Amino acid sequence: MTTPDELDDRYGRTPSPRRRLTAAVAITLGVLAVGAIAWGAVGNVLDDVDVDTVAFEVVDDHSVALSFQMTAPAGRDVACALEARDTDHGVVGWKIVEFPSSDRRTAAYREVIPTVAEATTGFVNTCWVT
């Protein structure tokens, strides 16, 4: 049985330059796409902020004290959105707190959230690297 390579040699066929160029461009784009996905995944992990609400205390009708622990990248500024809710799960208090960069990755914080009505809970909604 004759192979395609033997037929190409027999009849003098060679891959066209356009086909080689198309293959090279496709391979290059594939490598760039994989690199971009890998870079995005690593970048997201490096800027990851983990927060655990430790406790909350209803101070009075217009404030809630919130204790939480945050693990963030060392040397990066971080901001957090703190939230207080009432018995109907309505937002009655909201506060954005910014934390300056630190050499420590994990630290404990206590913040007071002002509210417009009595709250029944307080928690950290989200944190991000600024």
Side-chain angles (χ1 to χ4, degrees), residues 23-37:
V25 168
I27 290 170
T28 302
L29 289 175
V31 168
L32 289 175
V34 168
I37 291 169

Side-chain angles (χ1 to χ4, degrees), residues 37-53:
I37 291 169
W39 179 258
V42 169
N44 286 339
V45 170
L46 293 177
D47 286 342
D48 197 20
V49 179
D50 185 37
V51 180
D52 294 316
T53 301

Side-chain angles (χ1 to χ4, degrees), residues 40-95:
V42 169
N44 286 339
V45 170
L46 293 177
D47 286 342
D48 197 20
V49 179
D50 185 37
V51 180
D52 294 316
T53 301
V54 176
F56 70 91
E57 174 190 356
V58 177
V59 178
D60 57 27
D61 288 347
H62 296 288
S63 61
V64 172
L66 178 64
S67 298
F68 58 97
Q69 182 174 332
M70 179 174 56
T71 302
R76 303 288 303 268
D77 294 341
V78 176
C80 292
L82 312 179
E83 190 173 320
R85 292 191 179 188
D86 62 10
T87 56
D88 296 328
H89 304 289
V91 177
V92 294
W94 182 269
K95 182 178 182 180

